[in-house]
Amino acid sequence: MKSKNNSTWQTITVSGTHHPILFIDTVFNGYQKKVIKRFFEIQFNPSYYRQYAGARWWLDGEIDSYIKSLKQAELHTPGFLLRKANQYYALNKVFLSWSKKQSSHDFRKFDTEALLKVFSAFIEKLSAINALVYTAIFLDKFYTDQVIDIVNTKETDPERQRDYLGKIFTIDWGLKSHFEKQSILKLVEQLVLNTNRKDFFLKIRKHCERFGPVHMMPFQHNPLTVSKVYREVKTISKDSNKRAKLKNEIEVLKKAKYSFLRVVHSLKLSRTERLKIQTLRSWTFAANDDDFFVMGSLWLLNDLFLELAKRIGISFEDFIQLRIDEVRHFLVSPITKKVIENLKIRKKSALVMENNHIFLLSGRELMAYQKREVNVSNENIGEEIIGTSAFLGKVKGKVFILKSIYEISRIKKGEVLVAPYTYPAVVIAMQKASAIITDQGGLLSHAAIVARELKKPCIIGTKIATKVLKDGDVVEVDAVRGVVTLLQRGRAVS
């Protein structure tokens, strides 16, 4: 697809779930506030971006400029990008801490000026994080290849190469999803021991409160419920193999750092080589915990958004479809019926920034915009789909296409999960799948990391899997060669 200036739009992520306009607008706000330029102290800042239909795009030329600027900054000051990874993680932690503090207020007692002050601070902090959120994806585009080249130069045996790379690309213990696994195991052990029932369910409730944000989407209620967690814990407690598997996963994750250090020692990596690898690992760690901090903050500030919606005179569902400036405007000026009616159709709308000018499209305007886009994809769609192996293995199974978070419960055990890309809320489906295939992602993408934790065959970066395959198709996933073969067309599941 091309923009007006004849540059090519490149898809960055596709989740299949369209986020509320208020959340999306914080990305655009961050770009307009030149967050990237200021954070990295570089001359580059994007002037083109768009988000709709659950997908995000940058211009290919701007991606190249961003990556080039980051490379130059690192070349000038070795360790610069590693330091920035730690700063980005700190931004997330500060945001959650600030949100916890704000959640103690009774916003009903705030006057309009005070309410606006908190809302503006919230927007500033979230915009700073969301404007930087794709950095790990862009670093993965060039750093991953460099890391692979380093390992292949130091070690010529293919088996050892794969083993070393697997350990390098396994993230250290400490992600919130890791602690969630540990919490589940403790609940399983408590259920097996048949301890105090009241105390047991109290711990489940605490588990839901602590780890709910891992599975949330923007402005969504906590998807973790006591009954849902109890069913999971009960299922594992009755199966000794599942208990053993969960214990093993946790032990492997806890040893990941030491396994990585042994690789560093075995390959005799130079300081420069170690720095490249650690930079990539740190950015990936920060990006994988980003959802926890952001969604947790949104959850904590729910009372703020409810009060803002009430003051404006609209429902919560309509409120989250407002743009940032509209929230500020309608807090002091009456909202019209026409605007409220338009909010209903914004669930299927687009925000587009072209040459730093932002416009919102919905209905006929969006249809017209999409029609003028030219599809320049030259992918050769055939019976074999090629990607990158994230975890080795070979299986056959029926395809399940995951288009949105709301379809997670439909996947059956043993099916091959096919998705544009994965994120923390999808882990439940990944656990049921026999193999994982994604359109996008590198070796440090969420799908690759979780597949290695679950030890399931995984092929990433196919670009076309969700376009070629359909629900019910029978495929062979050869994650040794990085090839998915369509064996038989199936009947789509309604």
Side-chain angles (χ1 to χ4, degrees):
M1 295 183 177
K2 294 194 174 184
S3 69
K4 281 184 176 180
N5 68 358
N6 210 36
S7 296
T8 304
W9 285 105
Q10 183 170 325
T11 310
I12 304 303
T13 63
V14 181
S15 67
T17 302
H18 187 64
H19 293 330
I21 292 297
L22 183 58
F23 186 79
I24 296 172
D25 205 19
T26 60
V27 181
F28 290 84
N29 186 60
Y31 292 160
Q32 285 206 318
K33 299 289 186 183
K34 302 189 184 303
V35 166
I36 287 176
K37 183 177 181 179
R38 288 188 287 108
F39 183 80
F40 286 107
E41 304 163 53
I42 57 178
Q43 292 307 306
F44 171 78
N45 201 76
S47 54
Y48 286 80
Y49 176 70
R50 66 186 187 186
Q51 187 166 337
Y52 65 92
R56 297 94 177 146
W57 288 267
W58 272 46
L59 286 190
D60 55 358
E62 293 206 324
I63 293 174
D64 292 340
S65 296
Y66 190 19
I67 291 174
K68 183 179 178 181
S69 297
L70 294 178
K71 283 181 175 179
Q72 289 174 341
E74 179 67 18
L75 188 64
H76 182 266
T77 310
F80 172 79
L81 289 176
L82 177 59
R83 188 170 74 252
K84 288 299 177 181
N86 294 331
Q87 287 179 13
Y88 176 68
Y89 192 76
L91 275 179
N92 278 276
K93 290 181 71 175
V94 168
F95 183 37
L96 184 64
S97 178
W98 177 84
S99 299
K100 284 180 180 177
K101 185 177 180 180
Q102 298 304 315
S103 67
S104 64
H105 296 309
D106 185 351
F107 295 111
R108 295 171 299 179
K109 296 178 180 178
F110 279 36
D111 60 26
T112 301
E113 185 179 349
L115 211 58
L116 267 172
K117 186 176 180 180
V118 178
F119 175 73
S120 295
F122 156 74
I123 291 298
E124 181 182 353
K125 294 177 188 300
L126 182 56
S127 296
I129 291 169
N130 280 351
L132 299 168
V133 75
Y134 305 125
T135 304
I137 294 174
F138 297 141
L139 288 176
D140 195 9
K141 286 180 179 291
F142 73 92
Y143 257 32
T144 300
D145 289 340
Q146 289 186 19
V147 170
I148 292 172
D149 288 342
I150 289 169
V151 173
N152 290 349
T153 301
K154 300 277 186 176
E155 176 58 64
T156 56
D157 181 70
E159 288 296 323
R160 286 182 180 174
Q161 285 175 353
R162 284 195 287 268
D163 179 57
Y164 287 152
L165 287 170
K167 289 171 179 173
I168 286 172
F169 292 137
T170 297
I171 302 303
D172 291 344
W173 174 263
L175 290 176
K176 297 301 178 288
S177 58
H178 296 166
F179 291 121
E180 183 182 20
K181 287 177 185 284
Q182 190 174 50
S183 177
I184 287 289
L185 181 60
K186 288 180 179 178
L187 288 169
V188 168
E189 291 171 344
Q190 188 171 353
L191 185 61
V192 171
L193 292 172
N194 197 25
T195 54
N196 184 277
R197 191 173 179 82
K198 184 178 179 180
D199 179 61
F200 173 69
F201 279 99
L202 179 62
K203 287 181 178 178
I204 288 184
R205 279 193 288 274
K206 288 182 178 179
H207 174 95
C208 293
E209 291 173 4
R210 184 182 178 189
F211 298 108
V214 174
H215 305 274
M216 284 182 189
M217 300 297 280
F219 300 109
Q220 184 193 52
H221 294 300
N222 190 348
L224 282 188
T225 62
V226 171
S227 59
K228 186 182 289 186
V229 174
Y230 174 65
R231 284 195 299 271
E232 180 184 0
V233 170
K234 189 176 180 180
T235 300
I236 297 172
S237 68
K238 289 183 176 181
D239 190 326
S240 59
N241 290 329
K242 286 184 178 180
R243 290 204 305 274
K245 184 179 179 182
L246 182 58
K247 282 182 180 179
N248 184 61
E249 284 177 17
I250 293 169
E251 287 304 313
V252 170
L253 288 169
K254 285 184 174 180
K255 294 176 182 177
K257 183 176 181 178
Y258 303 104
S259 297
F260 166 66
L261 292 174
R262 283 196 292 270
V263 170
V264 171
H265 178 74
S266 299
L267 293 177
K268 298 179 180 178
L269 299 176
S270 67
R271 182 181 180 278
T272 302
E273 291 167 338
R274 291 199 307 272
L275 191 57
K276 283 182 179 180
I277 294 171
Q278 192 55 54
T279 298
L280 190 57
R281 283 165 60 87
S282 294
W283 267 105
T284 305
F285 187 96
N288 273 269
D289 252 1
D290 172 273
D291 277 353
F292 172 82
F293 292 112
V294 171
M295 301 308 153
S297 295
L298 292 177
W299 187 34
L300 286 165
L301 294 171
N302 193 58
D303 285 347
L304 169 66
F305 308 132
L306 288 171
E307 184 60 27
L308 286 166
K310 183 181 177 182
R311 298 275 181 101
I312 293 171
I314 55 178
S315 67
F316 177 81
E317 289 70 23
D318 287 342
F319 169 77
I320 60 177
Q321 299 303 336
L322 288 170
R323 292 196 61 195
I324 296 167
D325 287 342
E326 288 176 329
V327 173
R328 294 183 174 124
H329 175 73
F330 292 126
L331 263 179
V332 295
S333 301
I335 190 168
T336 64
K337 287 184 179 180
K338 186 177 180 180
V339 172
I340 295 174
E341 288 172 4
N342 287 335
L343 292 176
K344 309 294 182 186
I345 62 172
R346 285 192 182 180
K347 291 180 181 178
K348 293 183 179 180
S349 59
L351 270 179
V352 181
M353 179 171 72
E354 292 188 352
N355 199 22
N356 287 315
H357 175 65
I358 300 173
F359 47 94
L360 187 146
L361 301 171
S362 57
R364 291 180 180 179
E365 286 182 329
L366 179 56
M367 289 175 65
Y369 178 82
Q370 290 172 313
K371 281 181 180 178
R372 77 171 172 83
E373 292 296 308
V374 180
N375 190 347
V376 296
S377 175
N378 293 315
E379 297 293 348
N380 181 22
I381 297 177
E383 290 193 344
E384 277 198 347
I385 301 168
I386 311 299
T388 302
S389 297
F391 189 80
L392 304 185
K394 191 174 180 179
V395 300
K396 292 180 183 178
K398 284 187 177 182
V399 166
F400 176 83
I401 306 289
L402 184 68
K403 299 184 183 72
S404 83
I405 189 174
Y406 304 108
E407 298 178 334
I408 288 174
S409 61
R410 284 182 47 227
I411 188 170
K412 296 176 182 176
K413 187 175 181 180
E415 288 184 321
V416 175
L417 176 66
V418 181
Y421 82 119
T422 68
Y423 41 96
V426 179
V427 172
I428 296 172
M430 298 171 80
Q431 290 170 334
K432 291 182 179 179
S434 59
I436 301 154
I437 304 167
T438 66
D439 289 342
Q440 300 174 17
L443 288 171
L444 279 172
S445 64
H446 179 267
I449 292 168
V450 175
R452 287 191 288 269
E453 289 179 8
L454 298 176
K455 300 191 183 304
K456 295 194 175 186
C458 177
I459 298 177
I460 53 175
T462 65
K463 297 182 180 179
I464 58 172
T466 58
K467 298 180 181 70
V468 177
L469 301 175
K470 308 293 181 187
D471 277 338
D473 287 351
V474 178
V475 295
E476 178 183 75
V477 182
D478 186 348
V480 177
R481 296 190 301 130
V483 176
V484 181
T485 305
L486 176 60
L487 302 177
Q488 180 184 332
R489 281 292 183 190
R491 190 163 56 187
V493 179
S494 61

